[in-house]
Amino acid sequence: MRTLPGFGYGLIAVLVVSSAAQARDERDKPAVRAIMLSEHPADGTHSVYVKGQVVTTLRFEQTVDPSKTKMMGWEGRLEPLAVARNKVILEPIRDLHRDEGIPLVVTLIDGTEIPFLVKPPWRKNDGGWPPILDQQVDVFKNRESYASMYAALMDALKKNDTLTEENERYRKEENSVDHALATLLANGEVKKTPFRRKRYWRAKNEDMDMKVELFEGPGKAAVVIHLKNTDYGQPWAFDGAYLTRDFTSYTARPFALRMDRGVIAHGQSGKIAVVADKSAFETGGGQLADLFLQIFRGDGLLQVAVAMDHTLIRQ
């Protein structure tokens, strides 16, 4: 079994102690990610997440050989590749489509070839730890170097922060009236809630049968979306939900969401329940405005959009 050199454990301790005061500031820096190269063949290709007209920099421990560093099929999608000593600079001309991936091979001065796949931003709900958008990626070949171990420490602390925040959010949701109501609706227990069904409609496309129920309630409104997967291809997966003032707005309104399953295989059915408080409908002038709920599926496409009229709020 391979062990760290004699100074390794002491170095970890020094990193923890000396960086304690600045750890949170360091790990709060946005869009900087570390990649530790692995000798395992299954971990050979790493993804880099880029956005149109935003520069992404790959930074290596060694100098990069520009003559042997190449992209395939980048024309019309990215600016020509730029190499500056130990850095590779990527600048997409436009946003990449969700299913696009551009192969990139970076060759270091010692001949080491490192393959990447340049992709559009990773949606947070897809899972995994990478940031939504990479602006700087630090690539480490030597896992025992100070810089590599420091980056690993910052990554671990950042993950711990995320878990702490998620645990706190789950704790608050457990005590949330709206989340409790959404759970009852998702479980089909409408009679245990104060809601009354106002209207519903059915829709279908080539891969999904849908039924949407709109509920009115005292100081709240709710939506229950029934989905039946009729696609013989891959299972349907939930990707995200947004409640906004209009379909082009980037200002999301608060809501509670519960679903009975996040992945629906062919022939299966699932439900998504959303509850919105009156405060989500309120405008700056104290009036109520209509809201629009959008549900996205795993491939990033819009599955269903629902207009939530402010009259659903029963006084």
Side-chain angles (χ1 to χ4, degrees), residues 148-160:
S148 174
M149 296 178 72
Y150 185 81
L153 171 64
M154 291 301 106
D155 186 54
L157 291 172
K158 189 179 295 184
K159 290 179 181 180
N160 183 68

Side-chain angles (χ1 to χ4, degrees), residues 140-176:
F140 297 99
K141 181 181 177 183
N142 180 7
R143 289 172 169 262
E144 296 173 2
S145 69
Y146 179 92
S148 174
M149 296 178 72
Y150 185 81
L153 171 64
M154 291 301 106
D155 186 54
L157 291 172
K158 189 179 295 184
K159 290 179 181 180
N160 183 68
D161 287 347
T162 301
L163 287 173
T164 300
E165 291 170 2
E166 288 183 352
N167 288 336
E168 178 64 16
R169 176 170 60 84
Y170 292 143
R171 186 188 66 78
K172 290 180 179 179
E173 288 181 0
E174 287 179 357
N175 299 319
S176 164

Side-chain angles (χ1 to χ4, degrees), residues 30-101:
V32 178
R33 180 164 61 101
I35 290 178
M36 310 295 172
L37 298 182
S38 171
E39 297 178 358
H40 195 285
D43 299 329
T45 301
H46 295 273
S47 295
V48 179
Y49 303 96
V50 301
K51 183 173 177 58
Q53 301 183 14
V54 175
V55 172
T56 296
T57 302
L58 305 181
R59 191 165 67 95
F60 301 84
E61 294 174 292
Q62 296 182 23
T63 301
V64 175
D65 185 343
S67 65
K68 297 180 180 179
T69 295
K70 304 181 185 299
M71 280 192 298
M72 296 176 57
W74 59 271
E75 295 86 350
R77 297 190 283 180
L78 277 83
E79 297 288 353
L81 200 64
V83 176
R85 204 173 67 81
N86 67 328
K87 300 176 183 66
V88 174
I89 300 170
L90 307 172
E91 184 178 356
I93 298 171
R94 58 165 176 81
D95 288 346
L96 300 180
H97 296 303
R98 186 179 179 89
D99 57 352
E100 283 188 287

Side-chain angles (χ1 to χ4, degrees), residues 18 28 57 105 131 135 144 170 196 199 213 268 287 299:
S18 64
D28 284 345
T57 302
V105 176
Q135 288 179 279
E144 296 173 2
Y170 292 143
R196 296 198 303 246
R199 53 184 175 271
E213 297 180 286
Q268 286 186 334
Q287 303 297 314
D299 59 4

Side-chain angles (χ1 to χ4, degrees), residues 126 208 229 234-240 259 261-265 295-301 303:
D126 283 346
M208 187 69 68
N229 187 358
Q234 294 185 352
W236 183 93
F238 174 79
D239 186 58
M259 65 183 83
R261 54 168 47 117
V263 176
I264 305 175
I295 303 293
F296 289 86
R297 66 191 197 185
D299 59 4
L301 296 179
Q303 181 66 63

